[in-house]
Amino acid sequence: MPRQVRPIRICGDVAYVTLTQGYEAIIDAADVPLFEPWSWFAVPTGGTVYAVRSDYSGTNMRTVYAHRTILGEPYGLDVDHKDGDGLNNRRENLRPATKSQNMRNRRINLNSTSGFKGVYFHRQAGKWAAQIKIRGKAKYLGLFASPEKAHSAYCTASRELHGEFGRTS
């Protein structure tokens, strides 16, 4: 009996891959042949959801991510979703990145008390502090009267230090 493969819906140059848990992944219609032979499923991870499939080679099983399938699994690199949406796998939204570059494009932590990326309240000083990470080390940006001013300092540093991979929210 042939196995059931979840449907792929094509609308113009965009295709929607049906996943588990009610999710859909977005891909370019030109990439449908890379997805058709398999059933893809949703995996929520670290604040986003990714489209994955299982690959069984002999006795081993490995997880194959949609974004790595599209970019051809660049050796030694991550694949970064520019918009941070793990289900948006259109080529224009994907780029090869080092681990460090990929981390620069992270969203604000869910446990942020300031509501701004790179900003926290410094209790001893009674002011808002800003810091940014570069090459795995925290760089202190100063103390500020408001979280908005601290965030402005973070945004300036992000543009200078993180370039195109910098995310400020």
Side-chain angles (χ1 to χ4, degrees), residues 9-21:
R9 182 171 40 93
I10 301 173
C11 298
D13 64 345
V14 178
Y16 301 89
V17 181
T18 304
L19 306 174
T20 55
Q21 304 176 51

Side-chain angles (χ1 to χ4, degrees), residues 44-146:
T45 307
T48 191
V49 179
Y50 294 102
V52 302
R53 69 174 177 83
S54 296
D55 181 29
Y56 296 93
S57 300
T59 59
N60 298 329
M61 190 282 290
R62 73 180 184 113
T63 300
V64 178
Y65 286 83
H67 51 273
R68 294 189 69 78
T69 297
I70 290 169
L71 286 193
E73 301 204 32
Y75 180 76
L77 294 173
D78 287 353
V79 176
D80 180 49
H81 292 79
K82 292 177 187 176
D83 67 0
D85 180 358
L87 294 176
N88 182 357
N89 291 292
R90 299 198 65 193
R91 287 182 184 268
E92 67 191 20
N93 189 48
L94 302 176
R95 60 187 167 190
T98 64
K99 179 63 99 180
S100 181
Q101 288 170 325
N102 200 3
M103 295 301 288
R104 293 172 189 168
N105 193 26
R106 288 185 59 181
R107 291 186 176 126
I108 186 172
N109 285 334
L110 296 175
N111 64 351
S112 170
T113 56
S114 69
F116 295 101
K117 188 172 180 183
V119 177
Y120 64 96
F121 189 72
H122 192 288
R123 283 191 192 152
Q124 286 112 338
K127 294 186 176 193
W128 294 93
Q131 74 176 22
I132 192 165
K133 283 198 175 179
I134 187 71
R135 289 184 287 286
K137 303 216 185 234
K139 180 179 179 179
Y140 180 70
L141 301 173
L143 293 171
F144 302 88
S146 71

